[in-house]
Amino acid sequence: MPPKELISAAAIAKRVAELAREIDAGIPPGPLTVVGVLRGAFIFMADLVRALPREMTCDFLGVRSYGDATVSSGVVEITSDLAAPIAGRHVLLVEDIADTGLTLRYLLDLLSARGPASVHTCVLLSKPSLQKGTAPIDFVGFDAPDKFVVGYGLDAAQVYRNLPYIAVIDP
Ligand code: IMP
Ligand code: MG
């Protein structure tokens, strides 16, 4: 049985279009690099950049934060770095979900040290466990429940990324 739907594909599409407008208004003009965090953000980023009507480059960071477990290890490992420098560019960091916010914090510090013109953060989902002050999140798609969610790029032990909607599972 497929996991239980929490956010439909149609609701995601509507919110992604709104988010793109918020982002376009919120990031100043100038060279823009959108950085997706692999692998969870790949589907969200694909939809988001197609809704953003401005010139940009797309790049990716490979990150391992949980291994295949469903609880935070608190350890972030970079498995693949950006392909190009970001000095002098506006950067939009795109992540699938913020739980504690520790992954985002780590990546924000990493990118900020490379001399970008600005770094903004965007997550599709934000959990209630996000500690205030851990990482500033500029653009949020949806508030997520304190449950394990999958689909639309998010996985449980690498499975379910291809679900077109967001679902809740019992890990
Ligand atoms: P944080 O560092 O605690 O904010 O965890 C963020 C990372 O944990 C995300 O990039 C996800 O890969 C993963 N994660 C956290 N919660 C979930 C979930 O409910 N489903 C799938 N992945 C999750
Ligand atoms: Mg992730």
Side-chain angles (χ1 to χ4, degrees), residues 47-147:
D47 284 342
L48 188 66
V49 294
R50 282 181 290 176
L52 263 175
R54 61 195 269 180
E55 192 170 304
M56 67 174 69
T57 59
C58 296
D59 210 334
F60 298 93
L61 274 175
V63 164
R64 192 178 293 139
S65 52
Y66 277 22
D68 283 342
T70 55
V71 287
S72 180
S73 65
V75 178
V76 178
E77 183 192 343
I78 303 295
T79 57
S80 161
D81 204 346
L82 298 180
I86 52 169
R89 306 183 63 85
H90 294 298
V91 173
L92 177 67
L93 181 60
V94 178
E95 172 66 307
D96 53 0
I97 186 164
D99 184 0
T100 62
L102 289 172
T103 303
L104 213 52
R105 174 79 263 164
Y106 182 88
L107 299 178
L108 202 53
D109 292 343
L110 183 87
L111 297 179
S112 299
R114 298 181 183 184
S118 69
V119 184
H120 287 80
T121 55
C122 173
V123 298
L124 177 66
L125 298 159
S126 177
K127 284 194 175 178
S129 38
L130 179 68
Q131 290 148 29
K132 275 240 172 327
T134 308
I137 302 180
D138 300 299
F139 307 101
V140 178
F142 300 93
D143 288 323
D146 194 15
K147 295 194 168 121

